[in-house]
Amino acid sequence: MSFSKDFLWGTSVSAAQIEGGWNEGGKAPVQVDFANVGSASSSGRQLIYKKKDGSKGQLTGAYAMFPHLPEYGEYASFDDIYYSNRKASDFYHHYKEDIALMAEMGFSTFNTSISWARIFPHGIEGGANQEGIEFYRKVFKELKKYHIEPIITLYKYDEPIYFEQTYGGWTNRQMIDEFVEFARVCLTEYKDLVNKWITFNEINVLMLFRNLPHDQKVAQKRYQELHHQLVASARTVKLAHQINPQNKVGCMIAGMCTYPLTPDPKDVMDNYKYFQDIFCYTADVMIRGQYPSFANRMWKEDGIHLETSENDWKDLKEGTVEFLGFSYYMSQCRTTHTYANTTKGNIFTGYENPYLQKSEWGWQIDPLGFKNFMHLIYDRYQIPLLVIENGLGAKDIVESDGTIHDDYRINYLREHISAMKEAVEEGVNVVGYTTWGGIDLISASTGQMEKRYGLIYVDTDDQGEGTYNRYRKDSFYWYKKVIESYGEDLD
């Protein structure tokens, strides 16, 4: 067999996109609780806030996913807006049913996140929320009942608004102490239930501001925020090993294969620099324990001066991770030439590859790029790889008999698992594969439910209308067969 019997098969979700219960159990709001619903044709969703005069303001694109409200801006709800993350898939009330369905598929692992705002609604000062702690304990015990091993992400696109309002968010060094204390509580409370952890989800996305017109103030903020997160991650890694020597802690980057659009050497160099800047800048720090040599080029280009403390460098060196998790959905092209055919893809922007097909949302489908990306990062880092997110967002139709025939999703997953299989056979050490959104959830980029990723259908729409009943799609039965055959039967 290409995959060993202890290879991890499962799915990945996030608390903010599946959980719901946004104001239950002592939980406080997070930033994405104030984002609306976009569409396939729009540029994405917006984060809606109240201006000083009471009117609506909005942040779009990357600014909506990683917001800093303008001065005098205020988080507020408007009656004419549906905030889809607030109820999401209602995992908060359906977790037992959902975990039973995972067990039916044969999952050996499940990656989800712990909502910081459920554990510390108002930071260290407000104290830990015992009701929130007990909720996740129940979830992890339910997983253990079915012999499903949790892989737990501590931070996944859900900063509590308390921290922006109190500290200004991650630009403030105080956030490091806040995060490490949150991590300490989680690592201690769930010591006997969880031993695989990821500190920050897709931590490198903070670098995507480099795709936007240069703004020195934005650049300085993003680099500083990222530095604080990297230090917080390193301290958490060290703490995890102190609390339980059996803990394994990984990092997680947003992955994507990119190609030079032309053989022009300038395009080739531009493409490699993009790989360095967007992917390696952060992964090098978390895996090698120091900033890469090309960081000096980046800081000079963007006019950056990092504010650091003397202990930061020691923490980064000592707090390196043991495995590399990543997401992969698509590929894009890069060019230094004028080229009109731009493409979409989460918050990545690039240029269309004329040799590839794309999804309804404009994401170019490229399983060979998946294999290529695994080779690139494994050759560079030589530590175990864990595929955390891989899946297809598409509209599903429920037939009159309740079936959902999602051959398009099966084809996407089949081709990518087949490419992963080839990478493993060629020497890449991949230890697990978790599809993105095994249960329908809220899309991060558009806020939609109807952009479905799940193997399990959730009966609700973009406005939260529906029964929230769960139904098995054809892909549910297909993935069950894949897992039963240890990845050998992909037909």
Side-chain angles (χ1 to χ4, degrees):
M1 295 185 300
S2 300
F3 301 108
S4 66
K5 289 193 174 182
D6 59 358
F7 188 88
L8 297 171
W9 295 97
T11 201
S12 176
V13 299
S14 81
Q17 292 167 263
I18 195 172
E19 206 169 271
W22 79 293
N23 59 357
E24 297 182 57
K27 182 181 179 295
V30 299
Q31 290 171 327
V32 75
D33 286 331
F34 296 89
N36 68 359
V37 181
S39 68
S41 59
S42 73
S43 59
R45 67 196 310 196
Q46 294 84 41
L47 187 143
I48 309 297
Y49 64 92
K50 184 168 73 174
K51 295 181 179 180
K52 188 177 182 180
D53 62 5
S55 65
K56 294 176 187 173
Q58 64 181 36
L59 300 174
T60 61
Y63 297 110
M65 291 190 70
F66 315 105
H68 286 287
L69 291 190
E71 190 175 2
Y72 305 117
E74 180 183 342
Y75 286 100
S77 299
F78 293 90
D79 292 339
D80 60 340
I81 293 176
Y82 177 65
Y83 301 96
S84 54
N85 288 78
R86 295 185 177 186
K87 189 169 183 180
S89 308
D90 201 25
F91 179 80
Y92 188 72
H93 297 107
H94 288 261
Y95 72 89
K96 288 188 177 182
E97 175 187 359
D98 291 341
I99 291 171
L101 287 166
M102 295 179 210
E104 185 181 334
M105 269 188 280
F107 285 8
S108 54
T109 194
F110 175 52
N111 168 242
T112 188
S113 59
I114 293 175
S115 176
W116 194 350
R118 204 175 283 287
I119 304 299
F120 278 100
H122 302 99
I124 296 173
E125 183 181 13
N129 173 32
Q130 195 61 39
E131 193 171 351
I133 291 170
E134 293 308 317
F135 168 71
Y136 291 110
R137 196 188 316 280
K138 289 187 290 187
V139 170
F140 301 152
K141 283 185 174 180
E142 195 72 12
L143 290 168
K144 187 174 183 178
K145 170 180 157 184
Y146 291 104
H147 308 290
I148 299 173
E149 182 178 10
I151 301 171
I152 300 305
T153 302
L154 290 169
Y155 185 79
K156 194 158 186 167
Y157 299 152
D158 60 348
E159 181 182 316
I161 64 170
Y162 169 84
F163 291 126
E164 185 182 352
Q165 293 170 332
T166 306
Y167 301 119
W170 278 101
T171 53
N172 191 321
R173 284 191 67 88
Q174 183 62 34
M175 290 292 286
I176 299 174
D177 292 337
E178 290 282 350
F179 182 83
V180 173
E181 176 59 15
F182 161 60
R184 185 194 66 77
V185 169
C186 294
L187 291 161
T188 303
E189 291 286 347
Y190 312 127
K191 177 180 177 181
D192 299 325
L193 295 167
V194 182
N195 62 20
K196 287 185 174 62
W197 300 86
I198 294 169
T199 52
F200 288 80
N201 175 74
E202 295 184 330
I203 190 170
N204 60 315
V205 295
L206 283 174
M207 297 306 297
L208 290 177
F209 74 87
R210 297 188 110 238
N211 285 341
L212 305 172
H214 182 67
D215 183 322
Q216 203 280 328
K217 289 184 178 180
V218 171
Q220 180 66 42
K221 274 186 176 181
R222 294 308 189 208
Y223 275 104
Q224 196 64 56
E225 288 174 328
L226 182 55
H227 178 74
H228 291 158
Q229 291 186 5
L230 291 168
V231 173
S233 173
R235 291 187 188 176
T236 298
V237 171
K238 294 197 291 183
L239 181 63
H241 293 148
Q242 292 167 9
I243 290 173
N244 181 2
Q246 301 303 311
N247 277 330
K248 300 292 183 185
V249 188
C251 65
M252 201 284 209
I253 62 170
M256 184 177 66
C257 184
T258 62
Y259 307 104
L261 183 66
T262 77
D264 183 340
K266 291 181 181 178
D267 276 9
V268 175
M269 192 63 215
D270 176 75
N271 186 61
Y272 185 67
K273 283 177 66 178
Y274 187 80
F275 176 64
Q276 289 180 320
D277 298 357
I278 303 301
F279 305 114
C280 302
Y281 177 83
T282 48
D284 275 18
V285 177
M286 302 181 85
I287 297 168
R288 296 175 170 177
Q290 60 187 18
Y291 283 101
S293 58
F294 55 82
N296 290 300
R297 166 184 59 78
M298 297 171 64
W299 296 334
K300 185 177 180 180
E301 287 174 352
D302 292 329
I304 301 304
H305 175 71
L306 282 185
E307 296 178 5
T308 66
S309 78
E310 188 176 337
N311 288 332
D312 288 357
W313 313 109
K314 182 173 182 288
D315 287 331
L316 294 176
K317 179 62 69 175
E318 294 176 350
T320 55
V321 297
E322 296 151 280
F323 64 88
L324 170 56
F326 67 98
S327 60
Y328 179 91
Y329 295 95
M330 58 169 293
S331 68
Q332 292 176 341
C333 290
R334 301 280 305 171
T335 186
T336 60
H337 298 268
T338 301
Y339 186 65
N341 297 332
T342 58
T343 186
K344 299 178 182 178
N346 206 342
I347 52 175
F348 289 100
T349 56
Y351 296 95
E352 283 191 359
N353 189 326
Y355 296 95
L356 298 176
Q357 294 181 325
K358 56 187 177 182
S359 76
E360 185 178 347
W361 275 263
W363 299 30
Q364 296 203 290
I365 299 170
D366 184 11
L368 184 58
F370 184 39
K371 174 183 169 181
N372 186 27
F373 187 74
M374 282 187 275
H375 273 292
L376 282 172
I377 58 177
Y378 187 66
D379 286 350
R380 186 177 184 92
Y381 299 115
Q382 293 290 302
I383 63 172
L385 304 184
L386 181 61
V387 182
I388 292 290
E389 295 183 23
N390 178 237
L392 177 70
K395 291 182 179 179
D396 294 329
I397 297 173
V398 182
E399 305 293 343
S400 57
D401 61 357
T403 58
I404 300 109
H405 303 307
D406 57 340
D407 290 346
Y408 39 86
R409 184 170 293 107
I410 293 172
N411 291 335
Y412 178 96
L413 295 174
R414 177 191 293 118
E415 291 174 359
H416 283 77
I417 292 173
S418 179
M420 176 176 65
K421 183 178 180 181
E422 291 178 8
V424 169
E425 291 169 350
E426 293 167 5
V428 177
N429 182 14
V430 185
V431 296
Y433 175 85
T434 57
T435 68
W436 174 244
I439 304 169
D440 287 343
L441 41 64
I442 300 300
S443 166
S445 57
T446 68
Q448 292 178 278
M449 175 61 75
E450 292 184 352
K451 181 186 179 184
R452 298 180 183 274
Y453 285 89
L455 314 172
I456 299 166
Y457 185 93
V458 178
D459 178 32
T460 184
D461 62 17
D462 285 351
Q463 297 301 312
E465 299 293 333
T467 65
Y468 285 83
N469 290 339
R470 273 57 170 158
Y471 301 99
R472 298 164 184 81
K473 303 180 188 180
D474 285 356
S475 56
F476 177 103
Y477 301 103
W478 176 83
Y479 196 43
K480 175 180 171 66
K481 181 179 65 172
V482 171
I483 296 171
E484 286 174 345
S485 66
Y486 300 101
E488 292 298 310
D489 186 355
L490 299 178
D491 293 332

